[in-house]
Amino acid sequence: MIWFVGAGPGAPDLITVRGKELLETADVVVYAGSLVNPELLMWCRRGCETFDSARMTLEEVMEVMIRAEREGKRVVRLHTGDPSLYGAIREQMDVLRREGIAFRVCPGVSSFCGAAAALEAEYTLPGISQSVVITRMAGRTPVPERETIESFAAHQATMVIFLSTGMLGKLSEALIAGGYAKDTPAAIVYKATWPEEKVCRCTVATLQETADGYGIRKTALIVVGRILEGGYERSRLYHPDFSTGFRKACGEDMKDE
Ligand code: SAH
C-alpha cells in the first residue's frame, strides 16, 4: 500500500494527524522538495529513506516507490498542500493501477486555506460571493481555452490564483478585461503559514508593483474579490429569525427536526 499524503501549506504542525502517523511509520518518503517544508521530515523515524522528487522524473519517482513497495516497505508520497490541486498525482495513481499496486490518499490543508487564515478572510460572504474559483494562468502547463481568467472574472466571484506569481502584469490585465473594476481588492499571500509568510493587500490593478515592492516572485497565491473589503450581509444560518435542524428561530416552533 502506497500513501499519497497532503503535507499542508508549510507549517509542519499543519499536516493531519493521519498524515503525521504515516510519516512516522514510513520506510521510504518521496517528497516534493520544491514546496514541501523539509521540517516535515522531522516526523520520519531514523533510518527512513527520503527522496526529493524536485530532482526526479515521473519515471524515477515511480521506480523508487514501486521497488520499495515490492520489498515490503511502507512508502509515503508527500505532496504540498492537498494532493488533489496541481499535484500531478493522477499520473502516479494510473501507473500504480497498471502495476496492480494498492494506494490511498490522505488529504491535506491546501495553501488556499492557509492563505484565508493569513488574511483572516472568509471566501464565501453572503451578498458578496458564494463561490471560490481556484485557477491559474497558463504557464508551461496550458489551461483549456474555455477557462480563461477573463471568463472567470466575469462572475465577480472570489478567485484564488495559483502558480501565477511570475506573470502578475498579465494577470491584472486579464482580471480587468474580464470585468473586475481596477479597484477591486486583491492580496498576495507569500508562503502562507511558513515563518516567512507575507500578506500584501493591494488591488487587481497593482498586483505586479506590489509583488515587486515586496520582492515576491514565487510561492504565493493571489486572492481577488470584494470579500477582502468591508461589506456583506449577516449569515442566515446564525440569524435569530432562522430555524435550522439544530436550533429553533425565536418565536417559531421547530418544524423539521
Ligand atoms: N497542492 C498544493 C498546490 C501546489 S501548486 C496546495 O493544495 O496548496 C504550487 C503553487 O501553490 C505555488 O506556485 C503557489 O501558488 C501555491 N502555494 C503552495 N504553497 C503555498 C503557500 N504556503 N503559500 C502561498 N502559496 C502557496
Side-chain angles (χ1 to χ4, degrees), residues 34-238:
S34 52
L35 277 166
V36 167
N37 188 343
E39 273 191 40
L40 275 152
L41 302 177
M42 74 187 180
W43 300 123
C44 300
R45 57 174 188 77
R46 228 180 314 145
C48 172
E49 272 185 280
T50 58
F51 296 85
D52 177 357
S53 63
R55 296 158 204 284
M56 299 161 77
T57 61
L58 169 65
E59 287 72 14
E60 289 165 345
V61 166
M62 298 318 296
E63 197 198 307
V64 165
M65 296 205 296
I66 291 171
R67 191 176 351 108
E69 212 277 337
R70 293 204 166 129
E71 287 168 4
K73 294 179 176 163
R74 280 170 296 224
V75 181
V76 166
R77 176 71 169 109
L78 190 62
H79 280 276
T80 181
D82 182 80
S84 71
L85 291 170
Y86 310 111
I89 58 164
R90 173 66 188 271
E91 59 194 25
Q92 301 173 63
M93 296 191 291
D94 284 343
V95 173
L96 295 180
R97 276 194 199 100
R98 278 202 298 276
E99 296 288 328
I101 294 174
F103 60 84
R104 287 187 68 185
V105 183
C106 172
V109 177
S110 176
S111 59
F112 83 91
C113 303
L119 286 161
E120 297 172 2
E122 179 173 349
Y123 287 142
T124 53
L125 279 179
I128 306 292
S129 176
Q130 289 290 290
S131 313
V132 185
V133 177
I134 288 172
T135 188
R136 61 169 298 170
M137 296 276 279
R140 268 177 299 178
T141 306
V143 172
E145 246 170 67
R146 59 187 179 275
E147 295 180 20
T148 59
I149 296 285
E150 287 89 335
S151 67
F152 290 129
H155 293 277
Q156 309 277 303
T158 305
M159 288 179 74
V160 182
I161 301 144
F162 284 69
L163 292 160
S164 305
T165 320
M167 34 194 150
L168 295 180
K170 277 193 188 156
L171 175 62
S172 286
E173 281 170 25
L175 289 166
I176 294 164
Y180 275 116
K182 283 187 183 170
D183 66 352
T184 307
I188 303 169
V189 184
Y190 171 74
K191 287 206 146 182
T193 82
W194 291 64
E196 56 269 47
E197 172 185 285
K198 282 183 201 155
V199 174
C200 318
R201 292 174 191 269
C202 57
T203 66
V204 292
T206 60
L207 286 168
Q208 185 71 66
E209 63 191 71
T210 307
D212 289 346
Y214 284 90
I216 297 171
R217 260 168 231 99
K218 56 179 193 170
T219 329
L221 288 172
I222 313 306
V223 178
V224 177
R226 297 259 165 229
I227 58 112
L228 292 171
E229 64 189 8
Y232 60 95
E233 290 166 14
R234 123 166 231 182
S235 80
R236 302 300 302 152
L237 188 60
Y238 293 103

